[in-house]
Amino acid sequence: MSSRRPDPLAQVSDFDIRLLRIFRSVVECGGFSAAETVLGIGRSAISQQMSDLEQRLGLRLCQRGRAGFSLTEEGREVYQSALQLLSALESFRTEVNGLHQHLRGELIIGLTDNLVTLPHMRITHALAQLKERGPDVQIQIRMIAPNEVEQGVLDGRLHVGVVPQASALSGLEYQPLYSERSLLYCAVGHPLFYADDKQLDDARIDAQDAIAPTFRLPAEIQAHYQALNCTASASDREGMAFLILTGRYIGYLPDHYASLWVQQGRLRALKPATRFYDLSLASVTRKGRRPHLVLESFLESLAATR
């Protein structure tokens, strides 16, 4: 008679959930040392609790040592399963809290980089109002590329996101928030930095090495990049700024984001009267989402700040 090995997790305890939350933080921070500040515990304690989780699961989740931190194949699968479990737990808690009309739980928001310099600060004001209405609400902000924001909202890792508005993806709802203007910039050290706009022809601009974004943009804005000699790319606006500031590339940046470098004399806009585009930024949520009192309160505050 063959004996069947018992399931490692026949029951999921509060202790297991706590270990999975720590595991999630370690993965998202990229290692034990980086997770110390986020978790508020020392590296040795984190290591011990990861060992406890591996023993509970009967799996090796990660490699750690001089070569650095990396997930095993089993670790990657456990991480994805942990995300689903923790998201389901949060949804349950939010729904139950909604019965009491008391704001508790968490709001996980994904943002395109460099929105904080927008003068309107609608997101900032909405977050302040949410915290005032629900002092116990835990807010997590993740600064990631626009494509990852949309995917995160689709698969439930994010409750809401803010992205440049391109063609709508199926399964998502978009609400316009901002319009920002982007100008074409070069930095000190670039051959065009001291050129006179009146004597600067478009052919000379279009011949310069330029940067293209890898995130989705409306077709009419993509045309601005197609006119340039794009020999480099970046997944976000900060990456584009890094390359422009080398003095070897030209590229588009939001004017509110570039303004400090312009004031410092490190950047200049090329032919700003003609070389610009206006981009709409929108909040994005998942269609058919479950009731989520914290999220709805944030969206209400966001709408009220217009």
Side-chain angles (χ1 to χ4, degrees):
M1 181 176 177
S2 61
S3 60
R4 182 177 178 272
R5 184 187 177 206
D7 294 333
L9 286 183
Q11 294 182 342
V12 178
S13 66
D14 290 343
F15 179 66
D16 296 319
I17 293 170
R18 178 170 169 272
L19 293 179
L20 288 170
R21 290 187 188 278
I22 292 173
F23 176 56
R24 178 183 68 177
S25 295
V26 169
V27 174
E28 292 177 353
C29 289
F32 292 3
S33 297
E36 286 183 282
T37 302
V38 173
L39 294 172
I41 57 178
R43 181 174 178 177
S44 60
I46 296 172
S47 179
Q48 179 59 55
Q49 295 186 73
M50 286 300 89
S51 296
D52 291 343
L53 179 60
E54 289 177 329
Q55 186 174 358
R56 284 284 292 153
L57 298 177
L59 297 169
R60 181 72 170 173
L61 301 180
C62 58
Q63 305 290 343
R64 56 265 201 188
R66 293 184 178 179
F69 174 88
S70 64
L71 287 177
T72 63
E73 185 62 31
E74 292 82 4
R76 283 190 286 271
E77 293 184 17
V78 169
Y79 172 65
Q80 293 300 323
S81 296
L83 290 179
Q84 295 176 22
L85 172 62
L86 296 175
S87 177
L89 287 172
E90 181 57 33
S91 295
F92 172 80
R93 183 171 64 171
T94 300
E95 290 177 27
V96 172
N97 287 336
L99 298 175
H100 300 282
Q101 292 297 300
H102 183 68
L103 287 181
R104 291 177 181 169
E106 64 181 358
L107 177 73
I108 306 176
I109 176 171
L111 298 180
T112 301
D113 63 327
N114 303 310
L115 296 182
V116 72
T117 50
L118 275 165
H120 305 301
M121 297 190 73
R122 289 181 56 187
I123 298 172
T124 303
H125 294 324
L127 289 172
Q129 292 175 18
L130 175 65
K131 190 62 177 175
E132 183 177 354
R133 293 177 60 185
D136 295 330
V137 170
Q138 297 179 356
I139 298 171
Q140 292 187 35
I141 292 181
R142 300 181 182 174
M143 305 302 298
I144 48 182
N147 299 348
E148 295 179 43
V149 172
E150 290 175 308
Q151 186 57 49
V153 174
L154 274 173
D155 62 27
R157 288 181 291 115
L158 302 174
H159 297 128
V160 60
V162 177
V163 295
Q165 190 164 9
S167 56
L169 295 183
S170 176
L172 296 178
E173 294 180 341
Y174 298 81
Q175 293 295 327
L177 285 180
Y178 302 106
S179 178
E180 65 176 13
R181 173 157 293 189
S182 288
L183 303 176
L184 185 61
Y185 291 96
C186 70
V188 170
H190 193 277
L192 300 186
F193 189 79
Y194 294 108
D196 186 343
D197 272 346
K198 294 179 180 178
Q199 300 177 359
L200 188 56
D201 60 83
D202 287 331
R204 187 180 176 193
I205 292 176
D206 294 340
Q208 305 300 313
D209 286 321
I211 310 153
T214 58
F215 51 86
R216 297 187 317 118
L217 289 169
E220 63 272 17
I221 291 178
Q222 291 177 11
H224 288 269
Y225 292 95
Q226 291 167 358
L228 299 175
N229 177 34
C230 292
T231 59
S233 64
S235 63
D236 51 49
R237 281 99 69 91
E238 186 170 0
M240 299 178 76
F242 267 112
L243 288 172
I244 294 170
L245 287 165
T246 65
R248 298 295 182 268
Y249 298 90
I250 62 174
Y252 285 96
L253 291 175
D255 56 3
H256 61 86
Y257 177 46
S259 63
L260 179 61
W261 289 310
V262 172
Q263 293 171 26
Q264 294 172 344
R266 298 179 62 190
L267 288 183
R268 66 157 290 194
L270 300 169
K271 303 186 74 171
T274 57
R275 290 290 184 135
F276 71 88
Y277 63 77
D278 294 319
L279 175 65
S280 294
L281 295 158
S283 65
V284 55
T285 53
R286 186 172 56 182
K287 290 181 180 178
R289 61 186 181 274
R290 291 183 176 185
H292 191 303
L293 189 60
V294 173
L295 173 59
E296 301 309 324
S297 297
F298 173 71
L299 294 176
E300 287 174 11
S301 297
L302 201 57
T305 58
R306 291 180 183 178

